[in-house]
Amino acid sequence: MTHPLIAREGWLVLLAAFAAALIATWLVGWWSIPFWIWALFALQFFRDPARVPPADADAVIAPADGRIVVVEKVRDEYLDREALKISVFMNVFNVHSNKSPVDGEIKGRWYTPGSFVNADLDKASTENERNALHIATARGDVTCVQIAGLIARRILCYVRIGDNLARGQRYGFIRFGSRVDVYLPATARAEVSIGQKVTGGRTILARW
């Protein structure tokens, strides 16, 4: 699915921000600078560049831009299994468009209301507002979880049970700092390490 360079989720915000900056410039001149700073921040936040995923069929790709904060074996509470968990933390300067890490069919979707603690913390996975997808693939099951952060107050997910996703396909958006957890079969091999920066739709997180 194609989409514009600026995420549609930000169009109204940008319209309001630049309108306010222009009006402030007309009314107060140089005192309008804070309005322009906010407008430019909003513009960079809602950017959504097109990405071409790697062709490697064994690759699981990053669902978001950001920094790796977790790579460990855990219990996947959604599918009740042992899994390899890889978490990507997004700060307010990252692209916040979320992309499918694999090719597959949506078999389950769970929304859980919750808190808004710093998404960089481990407890964000269990305490924060989140939206989880079960994606069934020919190679195994994947759980992909959008998690709201300290500032984020809106998780957007545009797919339903029965929909099919392609690797790198855009399926959602989280407004402001947040996190995405990916749970893979325990036999998957991580290709990233904690602290590494990744690019959504492009960086290889793991291999089957």
Side-chain angles (χ1 to χ4, degrees), residues 16 29 71 97 109 111 116 145 147 149 186 197:
V71 180
S97 174
R109 176 177 170 177
Y111 170 76
F116 299 95
V145 189
I147 301 171
K197 292 182 179 179

Side-chain angles (χ1 to χ4, degrees), residues 141-205:
D141 294 311
V142 175
T143 310
C144 195
V145 189
Q146 297 169 289
I147 301 171
L150 185 65
I151 302 174
R153 290 295 186 273
R154 186 82 186 275
I155 295 174
L156 302 172
C157 181
Y158 303 119
V159 293
R160 298 174 293 179
I161 294 175
D163 288 347
N164 287 291
L165 284 172
R167 282 189 307 163
Q169 180 178 336
R170 186 184 198 273
Y171 76 88
F173 196 92
I174 312 177
R175 292 202 177 107
F176 304 105
S178 47
R179 169 177 176 152
V180 179
D181 292 343
V182 178
Y183 297 86
L184 301 168
T187 54
R189 184 178 75 254
E191 295 287 331
V192 292
S193 57
I194 293 176
Q196 181 178 335
K197 292 182 179 179
V198 297
T199 301
R202 186 176 296 162
T203 302
I204 296 175
L205 286 187

Side-chain angles (χ1 to χ4, degrees), residues 19-203:
L22 288 170
I23 292 171
T25 299
W26 179 60
L27 292 175
V28 296
W30 287 105
W31 291 101
S32 65
I33 289 177
F35 290 89
W36 285 107
I37 292 174
W38 164 248
L40 291 174
F41 168 78
L43 182 63
Q44 72 82 31
F45 178 84
F46 286 107
R47 71 195 188 283
D48 192 7
R51 304 273 171 73
V52 178
D56 190 342
D58 291 334
V60 177
I61 62 172
D65 288 16
R67 175 172 52 86
I68 300 295
V69 292
V70 172
V71 180
E72 63 180 359
K73 297 289 180 65
V74 299
R75 191 76 184 169
D76 177 356
E77 64 177 298
Y78 300 98
L79 299 187
D80 191 23
R81 60 169 179 168
E82 293 302 314
L84 171 65
K85 176 183 177 182
I86 302 178
S87 300
V88 180
F89 171 72
M90 295 171 279
N91 65 36
V92 294
F93 298 105
N94 292 130
V95 172
H96 275 58
S97 174
N98 300 142
K99 304 175 189 301
S100 178
V102 292
D103 299 318
E105 181 182 354
I106 306 300
K107 292 292 189 179
R109 176 177 170 177
W110 303 271
Y111 170 76
T112 306
S115 304
F116 299 95
V117 301
N118 186 348
D120 200 5
L121 302 176
D122 287 343
K123 64 180 180 179
S125 292
T126 56
E127 295 185 10
N128 280 18
E129 177 185 3
R130 54 201 181 274
N131 182 77
L133 296 178
H134 169 200
I135 308 173
T137 82
R139 294 173 177 264
D141 294 311
V142 175
T143 310
C144 195
V145 189
Q146 297 169 289
I147 301 171
L150 185 65
I151 302 174
R153 290 295 186 273
R154 186 82 186 275
I155 295 174
L156 302 172
C157 181
Y158 303 119
V159 293
R160 298 174 293 179
I161 294 175
D163 288 347
N164 287 291
L165 284 172
R167 282 189 307 163
Q169 180 178 336
R170 186 184 198 273
Y171 76 88
F173 196 92
I174 312 177
R175 292 202 177 107
F176 304 105
S178 47
R179 169 177 176 152
V180 179
D181 292 343
V182 178
Y183 297 86
L184 301 168
T187 54
R189 184 178 75 254
E191 295 287 331
V192 292
S193 57
I194 293 176
Q196 181 178 335
K197 292 182 179 179
V198 297
T199 301
R202 186 176 296 162
T203 302

